[in-house]
PDB file of all heavy atoms in Angstrom:
ATOM      1  N   SER A  20       0.784  -1.230   0.000  1.00 91.00           N
ATOM      2  CA  SER A  20       0.000   0.000   0.000  1.00 91.00           C
ATOM      3  C   SER A  20       0.818   1.283   0.000  1.00 91.00           C
ATOM      4  O   SER A  20       0.424   2.249  -0.632  1.00 91.00           O
ATOM      5  CB  SER A  20      -0.973   0.008   1.184  1.00 91.00           C
ATOM      6  OG  SER A  20      -0.258  -0.050   2.400  1.00 91.00           O
ATOM      7  N   LEU A  21       1.919   1.336   0.711  1.00 93.00           N
ATOM      8  CA  LEU A  21       2.671   2.579   0.835  1.00 93.00           C
ATOM      9  C   LEU A  21       3.738   2.690  -0.247  1.00 93.00           C
ATOM     10  O   LEU A  21       4.449   1.728  -0.531  1.00 93.00           O
ATOM     11  CB  LEU A  21       3.346   2.666   2.202  1.00 93.00           C
ATOM     12  CG  LEU A  21       2.431   2.631   3.422  1.00 93.00           C
ATOM     13  CD1 LEU A  21       3.256   2.672   4.693  1.00 93.00           C
ATOM     14  CD2 LEU A  21       1.425   3.762   3.391  1.00 93.00           C
ATOM     15  N   ASN A  22       3.866   3.879  -0.828  1.00 96.00           N
ATOM     16  CA  ASN A  22       4.917   4.129  -1.806  1.00 96.00           C
ATOM     17  C   ASN A  22       6.030   4.949  -1.147  1.00 96.00           C
ATOM     18  O   ASN A  22       5.979   5.248   0.047  1.00 96.00           O
ATOM     19  CB  ASN A  22       4.355   4.814  -3.052  1.00 96.00           C
ATOM     20  CG  ASN A  22       3.780   6.184  -2.754  1.00 96.00           C
ATOM     21  OD1 ASN A  22       4.206   6.870  -1.824  1.00 96.00           O
ATOM     22  ND2 ASN A  22       2.803   6.598  -3.533  1.00 96.00           N
ATOM     23  N   TYR A  23       7.001   5.337  -1.925  1.00 96.00           N
ATOM     24  CA  TYR A  23       8.180   6.054  -1.409  1.00 96.00           C
ATOM     25  C   TYR A  23       7.795   7.305  -0.625  1.00 96.00           C
ATOM     26  O   TYR A  23       8.262   7.510   0.501  1.00 96.00           O
ATOM     27  CB  TYR A  23       9.100   6.401  -2.575  1.00 96.00           C
ATOM     28  CG  TYR A  23      10.362   7.131  -2.171  1.00 96.00           C
ATOM     29  CD1 TYR A  23      11.478   6.423  -1.746  1.00 96.00           C
ATOM     30  CD2 TYR A  23      10.436   8.514  -2.221  1.00 96.00           C
ATOM     31  CE1 TYR A  23      12.638   7.074  -1.374  1.00 96.00           C
ATOM     32  CE2 TYR A  23      11.596   9.178  -1.846  1.00 96.00           C
ATOM     33  CZ  TYR A  23      12.691   8.461  -1.425  1.00 96.00           C
ATOM     34  OH  TYR A  23      13.836   9.111  -1.048  1.00 96.00           O
ATOM     35  N   ALA A  24       6.927   8.138  -1.181  1.00 96.00           N
ATOM     36  CA  ALA A  24       6.531   9.380  -0.503  1.00 96.00           C
ATOM     37  C   ALA A  24       5.816   9.088   0.809  1.00 96.00           C
ATOM     38  O   ALA A  24       6.052   9.761   1.821  1.00 96.00           O
ATOM     39  CB  ALA A  24       5.653  10.231  -1.421  1.00 96.00           C
ATOM     40  N   ASP A  25       4.941   8.084   0.807  1.00 96.00           N
ATOM     41  CA  ASP A  25       4.224   7.704   2.030  1.00 96.00           C
ATOM     42  C   ASP A  25       5.194   7.217   3.098  1.00 96.00           C
ATOM     43  O   ASP A  25       5.070   7.557   4.275  1.00 96.00           O
ATOM     44  CB  ASP A  25       3.220   6.580   1.750  1.00 96.00           C
ATOM     45  CG  ASP A  25       2.119   6.966   0.777  1.00 96.00           C
ATOM     46  OD1 ASP A  25       1.733   8.147   0.733  1.00 96.00           O
ATOM     47  OD2 ASP A  25       1.652   6.052   0.064  1.00 96.00           O
ATOM     48  N   ILE A  26       6.142   6.394   2.680  1.00 94.00           N
ATOM     49  CA  ILE A  26       7.126   5.843   3.614  1.00 94.00           C
ATOM     50  C   ILE A  26       7.969   6.959   4.217  1.00 94.00           C
ATOM     51  O   ILE A  26       8.184   7.005   5.431  1.00 94.00           O
ATOM     52  CB  ILE A  26       8.018   4.798   2.903  1.00 94.00           C
ATOM     53  CG1 ILE A  26       7.164   3.570   2.537  1.00 94.00           C
ATOM     54  CG2 ILE A  26       9.216   4.403   3.753  1.00 94.00           C
ATOM     55  CD1 ILE A  26       7.844   2.616   1.578  1.00 94.00           C
ATOM     56  N   ARG A  27       8.438   7.863   3.383  1.00 95.00           N
ATOM     57  CA  ARG A  27       9.248   8.990   3.880  1.00 95.00           C
ATOM     58  C   ARG A  27       8.462   9.827   4.880  1.00 95.00           C
ATOM     59  O   ARG A  27       8.972  10.174   5.948  1.00 95.00           O
ATOM     60  CB  ARG A  27       9.733   9.844   2.713  1.00 95.00           C
ATOM     61  CG  ARG A  27      10.711  10.923   3.175  1.00 95.00           C
ATOM     62  CD  ARG A  27      11.267  11.691   2.034  1.00 95.00           C
ATOM     63  NE  ARG A  27      10.194  12.499   1.467  1.00 95.00           N
ATOM     64  CZ  ARG A  27      10.187  12.990   0.245  1.00 95.00           C
ATOM     65  NH1 ARG A  27      11.184  12.743  -0.563  1.00 95.00           N
ATOM     66  NH2 ARG A  27       9.200  13.719  -0.183  1.00 95.00           N
ATOM     67  N   LYS A  28       7.222  10.110   4.566  1.00 96.00           N
ATOM     68  CA  LYS A  28       6.379  10.909   5.460  1.00 96.00           C
ATOM     69  C   LYS A  28       6.152  10.182   6.791  1.00 96.00           C
ATOM     70  O   LYS A  28       6.271  10.781   7.861  1.00 96.00           O
ATOM     71  CB  LYS A  28       5.045  11.203   4.774  1.00 96.00           C
ATOM     72  CG  LYS A  28       4.120  12.057   5.585  1.00 96.00           C
ATOM     73  CD  LYS A  28       2.840  12.332   4.815  1.00 96.00           C
ATOM     74  CE  LYS A  28       1.863  13.138   5.654  1.00 96.00           C
ATOM     75  NZ  LYS A  28       0.602  13.358   4.966  1.00 96.00           N
ATOM     76  N   TYR A  29       5.833   8.899   6.720  1.00 93.00           N
ATOM     77  CA  TYR A  29       5.579   8.127   7.932  1.00 93.00           C
ATOM     78  C   TYR A  29       6.809   8.091   8.832  1.00 93.00           C
ATOM     79  O   TYR A  29       6.727   8.363  10.029  1.00 93.00           O
ATOM     80  CB  TYR A  29       5.133   6.697   7.600  1.00 93.00           C
ATOM     81  CG  TYR A  29       5.092   5.837   8.841  1.00 93.00           C
ATOM     82  CD1 TYR A  29       4.029   5.936   9.725  1.00 93.00           C
ATOM     83  CD2 TYR A  29       6.149   4.973   9.148  1.00 93.00           C
ATOM     84  CE1 TYR A  29       4.008   5.183  10.899  1.00 93.00           C
ATOM     85  CE2 TYR A  29       6.131   4.221  10.314  1.00 93.00           C
ATOM     86  CZ  TYR A  29       5.063   4.330  11.182  1.00 93.00           C
ATOM     87  OH  TYR A  29       5.059   3.593  12.334  1.00 93.00           O
ATOM     88  N   TYR A  30       7.964   7.714   8.272  1.00 94.00           N
ATOM     89  CA  TYR A  30       9.157   7.579   9.102  1.00 94.00           C
ATOM     90  C   TYR A  30       9.674   8.917   9.602  1.00 94.00           C
ATOM     91  O   TYR A  30      10.202   8.994  10.716  1.00 94.00           O
ATOM     92  CB  TYR A  30      10.241   6.768   8.390  1.00 94.00           C
ATOM     93  CG  TYR A  30       9.923   5.295   8.385  1.00 94.00           C
ATOM     94  CD1 TYR A  30       9.461   4.671   7.242  1.00 94.00           C
ATOM     95  CD2 TYR A  30      10.048   4.528   9.542  1.00 94.00           C
ATOM     96  CE1 TYR A  30       9.140   3.321   7.241  1.00 94.00           C
ATOM     97  CE2 TYR A  30       9.736   3.182   9.553  1.00 94.00           C
ATOM     98  CZ  TYR A  30       9.272   2.585   8.401  1.00 94.00           C
ATOM     99  OH  TYR A  30       8.949   1.252   8.406  1.00 94.00           O
ATOM    100  N   ALA A  31       9.529   9.980   8.841  1.00 95.00           N
ATOM    101  CA  ALA A  31       9.930  11.307   9.332  1.00 95.00           C
ATOM    102  C   ALA A  31       9.127  11.650  10.573  1.00 95.00           C
ATOM    103  O   ALA A  31       9.672  12.141  11.574  1.00 95.00           O
ATOM    104  CB  ALA A  31       9.730  12.354   8.241  1.00 95.00           C
ATOM    105  N   SER A  32       7.840  11.378  10.545  1.00 93.00           N
ATOM    106  CA  SER A  32       6.976  11.629  11.701  1.00 93.00           C
ATOM    107  C   SER A  32       7.317  10.684  12.848  1.00 93.00           C
ATOM    108  O   SER A  32       7.391  11.085  14.014  1.00 93.00           O
ATOM    109  CB  SER A  32       5.515  11.458  11.284  1.00 93.00           C
ATOM    110  OG  SER A  32       4.680  11.543  12.404  1.00 93.00           O
ATOM    111  N   ASN A  33       7.539   9.427  12.528  1.00 90.00           N
ATOM    112  CA  ASN A  33       7.841   8.412  13.535  1.00 90.00           C
ATOM    113  C   ASN A  33       9.164   8.705  14.251  1.00 90.00           C
ATOM    114  O   ASN A  33       9.269   8.529  15.460  1.00 90.00           O
ATOM    115  CB  ASN A  33       7.897   7.034  12.875  1.00 90.00           C
ATOM    116  CG  ASN A  33       8.065   5.918  13.859  1.00 90.00           C
ATOM    117  OD1 ASN A  33       7.346   5.826  14.842  1.00 90.00           O
ATOM    118  ND2 ASN A  33       9.024   5.049  13.600  1.00 90.00           N
ATOM    119  N   PHE A  34      10.166   9.150  13.519  1.00 92.00           N
ATOM    120  CA  PHE A  34      11.483   9.399  14.092  1.00 92.00           C
ATOM    121  C   PHE A  34      11.529  10.699  14.895  1.00 92.00           C
ATOM    122  O   PHE A  34      12.384  10.852  15.759  1.00 92.00           O
ATOM    123  CB  PHE A  34      12.548   9.470  12.997  1.00 92.00           C
ATOM    124  CG  PHE A  34      12.864   8.150  12.347  1.00 92.00           C
ATOM    125  CD1 PHE A  34      13.549   8.125  11.150  1.00 92.00           C
ATOM    126  CD2 PHE A  34      12.491   6.942  12.903  1.00 92.00           C
ATOM    127  CE1 PHE A  34      13.864   6.921  10.527  1.00 92.00           C
ATOM    128  CE2 PHE A  34      12.794   5.736  12.291  1.00 92.00           C
ATOM    129  CZ  PHE A  34      13.489   5.727  11.101  1.00 92.00           C
ATOM    130  N   GLU A  35      10.646  11.626  14.612  1.00 91.00           N
ATOM    131  CA  GLU A  35      10.688  12.943  15.242  1.00 91.00           C
ATOM    132  C   GLU A  35      10.552  12.821  16.762  1.00 91.00           C
ATOM    133  O   GLU A  35       9.510  12.467  17.293  1.00 91.00           O
ATOM    134  CB  GLU A  35       9.568  13.831  14.695  1.00 91.00           C
ATOM    135  CG  GLU A  35       9.721  15.281  15.092  1.00 91.00           C
ATOM    136  CD  GLU A  35       8.709  16.146  14.371  1.00 91.00           C
ATOM    137  OE1 GLU A  35       8.725  16.150  13.131  1.00 91.00           O
ATOM    138  OE2 GLU A  35       7.902  16.780  15.062  1.00 91.00           O
ATOM    139  N   GLY A  36      11.648  13.116  17.445  1.00 84.00           N
ATOM    140  CA  GLY A  36      11.647  13.103  18.902  1.00 84.00           C
ATOM    141  C   GLY A  36      11.661  11.711  19.519  1.00 84.00           C
ATOM    142  O   GLY A  36      11.580  11.585  20.738  1.00 84.00           O
ATOM    143  N   ASN A  37      11.752  10.674  18.728  1.00 86.00           N
ATOM    144  CA  ASN A  37      11.742   9.307  19.248  1.00 86.00           C
ATOM    145  C   ASN A  37      13.029   8.581  18.863  1.00 86.00           C
ATOM    146  O   ASN A  37      13.584   8.827  17.812  1.00 86.00           O
ATOM    147  CB  ASN A  37      10.564   8.509  18.673  1.00 86.00           C
ATOM    148  CG  ASN A  37       9.240   9.086  19.085  1.00 86.00           C
ATOM    149  OD1 ASN A  37       8.981   9.300  20.256  1.00 86.00           O
ATOM    150  ND2 ASN A  37       8.398   9.349  18.103  1.00 86.00           N
ATOM    151  N   ARG A  38      13.432   7.659  19.714  1.00 87.00           N
ATOM    152  CA  ARG A  38      14.553   6.781  19.402  1.00 87.00           C
ATOM    153  C   ARG A  38      14.118   5.361  19.724  1.00 87.00           C
ATOM    154  O   ARG A  38      13.359   5.123  20.663  1.00 87.00           O
ATOM    155  CB  ARG A  38      15.805   7.132  20.217  1.00 87.00           C
ATOM    156  CG  ARG A  38      16.438   8.455  19.812  1.00 87.00           C
ATOM    157  CD  ARG A  38      16.893   8.431  18.349  1.00 87.00           C
ATOM    158  NE  ARG A  38      17.238   9.725  17.875  1.00 87.00           N
ATOM    159  CZ  ARG A  38      16.446  10.533  17.177  1.00 87.00           C
ATOM    160  NH1 ARG A  38      15.216  10.183  16.889  1.00 87.00           N
ATOM    161  NH2 ARG A  38      16.842  11.705  16.767  1.00 87.00           N
ATOM    162  N   TYR A  39      14.622   4.437  18.932  1.00 91.00           N
ATOM    163  CA  TYR A  39      14.223   3.045  19.055  1.00 91.00           C
ATOM    164  C   TYR A  39      15.436   2.138  19.043  1.00 91.00           C
ATOM    165  O   TYR A  39      16.466   2.470  18.465  1.00 91.00           O
ATOM    166  CB  TYR A  39      13.323   2.638  17.879  1.00 91.00           C
ATOM    167  CG  TYR A  39      12.075   3.471  17.768  1.00 91.00           C
ATOM    168  CD1 TYR A  39      12.024   4.573  16.925  1.00 91.00           C
ATOM    169  CD2 TYR A  39      10.950   3.161  18.525  1.00 91.00           C
ATOM    170  CE1 TYR A  39      10.879   5.336  16.828  1.00 91.00           C
ATOM    171  CE2 TYR A  39       9.793   3.930  18.428  1.00 91.00           C
ATOM    172  CZ  TYR A  39       9.757   5.005  17.576  1.00 91.00           C
ATOM    173  OH  TYR A  39       8.634   5.771  17.491  1.00 91.00           O
ATOM    174  N   ASN A  40      15.283   0.980  19.662  1.00 92.00           N
ATOM    175  CA  ASN A  40      16.229  -0.125  19.493  1.00 92.00           C
ATOM    176  C   ASN A  40      15.600  -1.060  18.475  1.00 92.00           C
ATOM    177  O   ASN A  40      14.445  -1.461  18.638  1.00 92.00           O
ATOM    178  CB  ASN A  40      16.465  -0.881  20.796  1.00 92.00           C
ATOM    179  CG  ASN A  40      17.278  -0.092  21.780  1.00 92.00           C
ATOM    180  OD1 ASN A  40      18.135   0.700  21.395  1.00 92.00           O
ATOM    181  ND2 ASN A  40      17.016  -0.284  23.049  1.00 92.00           N
ATOM    182  N   TYR A  41      16.336  -1.390  17.417  1.00 94.00           N
ATOM    183  CA  TYR A  41      15.840  -2.242  16.349  1.00 94.00           C
ATOM    184  C   TYR A  41      16.681  -3.505  16.343  1.00 94.00           C
ATOM    185  O   TYR A  41      17.901  -3.441  16.213  1.00 94.00           O
ATOM    186  CB  TYR A  41      15.957  -1.528  15.003  1.00 94.00           C
ATOM    187  CG  TYR A  41      15.255  -2.247  13.880  1.00 94.00           C
ATOM    188  CD1 TYR A  41      13.970  -1.869  13.505  1.00 94.00           C
ATOM    189  CD2 TYR A  41      15.856  -3.298  13.210  1.00 94.00           C
ATOM    190  CE1 TYR A  41      13.310  -2.524  12.476  1.00 94.00           C
ATOM    191  CE2 TYR A  41      15.205  -3.961  12.192  1.00 94.00           C
ATOM    192  CZ  TYR A  41      13.932  -3.573  11.826  1.00 94.00           C
ATOM    193  OH  TYR A  41      13.271  -4.222  10.830  1.00 94.00           O
ATOM    194  N   THR A  42      16.028  -4.647  16.515  1.00 94.00           N
ATOM    195  CA  THR A  42      16.720  -5.927  16.539  1.00 94.00           C
ATOM    196  C   THR A  42      16.210  -6.800  15.403  1.00 94.00           C
ATOM    197  O   THR A  42      15.005  -6.874  15.170  1.00 94.00           O
ATOM    198  CB  THR A  42      16.475  -6.646  17.883  1.00 94.00           C
ATOM    199  OG1 THR A  42      16.868  -5.787  18.943  1.00 94.00           O
ATOM    200  CG2 THR A  42      17.253  -7.946  17.954  1.00 94.00           C
ATOM    201  N   LEU A  43      17.124  -7.444  14.722  1.00 95.00           N
ATOM    202  CA  LEU A  43      16.790  -8.358  13.633  1.00 95.00           C
ATOM    203  C   LEU A  43      17.487  -9.686  13.919  1.00 95.00           C
ATOM    204  O   LEU A  43      18.697  -9.722  14.154  1.00 95.00           O
ATOM    205  CB  LEU A  43      17.264  -7.772  12.304  1.00 95.00           C
ATOM    206  CG  LEU A  43      16.836  -8.469  11.037  1.00 95.00           C
ATOM    207  CD1 LEU A  43      15.311  -8.498  10.916  1.00 95.00           C
ATOM    208  CD2 LEU A  43      17.433  -7.760   9.832  1.00 95.00           C
ATOM    209  N   GLU A  44      16.705 -10.778  13.925  1.00 95.00           N
ATOM    210  CA  GLU A  44      17.246 -12.099  14.226  1.00 95.00           C
ATOM    211  C   GLU A  44      16.797 -13.104  13.177  1.00 95.00           C
ATOM    212  O   GLU A  44      15.834 -12.859  12.443  1.00 95.00           O
ATOM    213  CB  GLU A  44      16.770 -12.569  15.600  1.00 95.00           C
ATOM    214  CG  GLU A  44      17.240 -11.679  16.734  1.00 95.00           C
ATOM    215  CD  GLU A  44      16.679 -12.101  18.078  1.00 95.00           C
ATOM    216  OE1 GLU A  44      15.512 -12.545  18.135  1.00 95.00           O
ATOM    217  OE2 GLU A  44      17.414 -11.989  19.064  1.00 95.00           O
ATOM    218  N   ASN A  45      17.465 -14.249  13.167  1.00 96.00           N
ATOM    219  CA  ASN A  45      17.118 -15.354  12.256  1.00 96.00           C
ATOM    220  C   ASN A  45      17.047 -14.890  10.803  1.00 96.00           C
ATOM    221  O   ASN A  45      16.110 -15.218  10.074  1.00 96.00           O
ATOM    222  CB  ASN A  45      15.801 -16.012  12.669  1.00 96.00           C
ATOM    223  CG  ASN A  45      15.833 -16.541  14.080  1.00 96.00           C
ATOM    224  OD1 ASN A  45      16.832 -17.098  14.510  1.00 96.00           O
ATOM    225  ND2 ASN A  45      14.758 -16.349  14.810  1.00 96.00           N
ATOM    226  N   VAL A  46      18.044 -14.136  10.391  1.00 96.00           N
ATOM    227  CA  VAL A  46      18.071 -13.578   9.038  1.00 96.00           C
ATOM    228  C   VAL A  46      18.410 -14.673   8.033  1.00 96.00           C
ATOM    229  O   VAL A  46      19.341 -15.461   8.224  1.00 96.00           O
ATOM    230  CB  VAL A  46      19.107 -12.435   8.945  1.00 96.00           C
ATOM    231  CG1 VAL A  46      19.216 -11.918   7.520  1.00 96.00           C
ATOM    232  CG2 VAL A  46      18.729 -11.315   9.902  1.00 96.00           C
ATOM    233  N   ARG A  47      17.622 -14.704   6.962  1.00 96.00           N
ATOM    234  CA  ARG A  47      17.844 -15.643   5.871  1.00 96.00           C
ATOM    235  C   ARG A  47      17.917 -14.851   4.578  1.00 96.00           C
ATOM    236  O   ARG A  47      17.115 -13.946   4.351  1.00 96.00           O
ATOM    237  CB  ARG A  47      16.705 -16.669   5.823  1.00 96.00           C
ATOM    238  CG  ARG A  47      16.696 -17.526   7.077  1.00 96.00           C
ATOM    239  CD  ARG A  47      15.413 -18.256   7.381  1.00 96.00           C
ATOM    240  NE  ARG A  47      14.132 -17.603   7.264  1.00 96.00           N
ATOM    241  CZ  ARG A  47      13.566 -16.808   8.179  1.00 96.00           C
ATOM    242  NH1 ARG A  47      14.222 -16.480   9.271  1.00 96.00           N
ATOM    243  NH2 ARG A  47      12.365 -16.309   8.003  1.00 96.00           N
ATOM    244  N   VAL A  48      18.877 -15.186   3.735  1.00 95.00           N
ATOM    245  CA  VAL A  48      19.094 -14.478   2.472  1.00 95.00           C
ATOM    246  C   VAL A  48      18.923 -15.469   1.334  1.00 95.00           C
ATOM    247  O   VAL A  48      19.486 -16.568   1.373  1.00 95.00           O
ATOM    248  CB  VAL A  48      20.512 -13.859   2.427  1.00 95.00           C
ATOM    249  CG1 VAL A  48      20.765 -13.182   1.089  1.00 95.00           C
ATOM    250  CG2 VAL A  48      20.712 -12.894   3.580  1.00 95.00           C
ATOM    251  N   GLU A  49      18.155 -15.061   0.332  1.00 95.00           N
ATOM    252  CA  GLU A  49      17.917 -15.907  -0.841  1.00 95.00           C
ATOM    253  C   GLU A  49      18.143 -15.075  -2.101  1.00 95.00           C
ATOM    254  O   GLU A  49      17.496 -14.051  -2.291  1.00 95.00           O
ATOM    255  CB  GLU A  49      16.479 -16.413  -0.817  1.00 95.00           C
ATOM    256  CG  GLU A  49      16.085 -17.238  -2.008  1.00 95.00           C
ATOM    257  CD  GLU A  49      14.595 -17.575  -1.987  1.00 95.00           C
ATOM    258  OE1 GLU A  49      13.965 -17.544  -0.914  1.00 95.00           O
ATOM    259  OE2 GLU A  49      14.068 -17.856  -3.080  1.00 95.00           O
ATOM    260  N   LYS A  50      19.062 -15.523  -2.929  1.00 94.00           N
ATOM    261  CA  LYS A  50      19.335 -14.837  -4.201  1.00 94.00           C
ATOM    262  C   LYS A  50      18.352 -15.325  -5.241  1.00 94.00           C
ATOM    263  O   LYS A  50      18.194 -16.523  -5.450  1.00 94.00           O
ATOM    264  CB  LYS A  50      20.776 -15.121  -4.644  1.00 94.00           C
ATOM    265  CG  LYS A  50      21.132 -14.561  -6.007  1.00 94.00           C
ATOM    266  CD  LYS A  50      21.237 -13.051  -5.972  1.00 94.00           C
ATOM    267  CE  LYS A  50      21.771 -12.519  -7.278  1.00 94.00           C
ATOM    268  NZ  LYS A  50      20.851 -11.657  -7.981  1.00 94.00           N
ATOM    269  N   ARG A  51      17.656 -14.384  -5.848  1.00 92.00           N
ATOM    270  CA  ARG A  51      16.760 -14.717  -6.951  1.00 92.00           C
ATOM    271  C   ARG A  51      17.315 -14.068  -8.207  1.00 92.00           C
ATOM    272  O   ARG A  51      18.243 -13.272  -8.156  1.00 92.00           O
ATOM    273  CB  ARG A  51      15.346 -14.206  -6.668  1.00 92.00           C
ATOM    274  CG  ARG A  51      14.722 -14.928  -5.485  1.00 92.00           C
ATOM    275  CD  ARG A  51      13.242 -14.937  -5.549  1.00 92.00           C
ATOM    276  NE  ARG A  51      12.682 -15.683  -4.435  1.00 92.00           N
ATOM    277  CZ  ARG A  51      11.530 -15.412  -3.899  1.00 92.00           C
ATOM    278  NH1 ARG A  51      10.790 -14.427  -4.375  1.00 92.00           N
ATOM    279  NH2 ARG A  51      11.075 -16.134  -2.906  1.00 92.00           N
TER     280      ARG A  51
END
């Protein structure tokens, strides 16, 4: 549903004044 402009707008608002810890686990990579 979201395109580049929507994503930029959402994350700009989300990041404003907030900080997060982002964790990524069990990463799997598949070359297509």
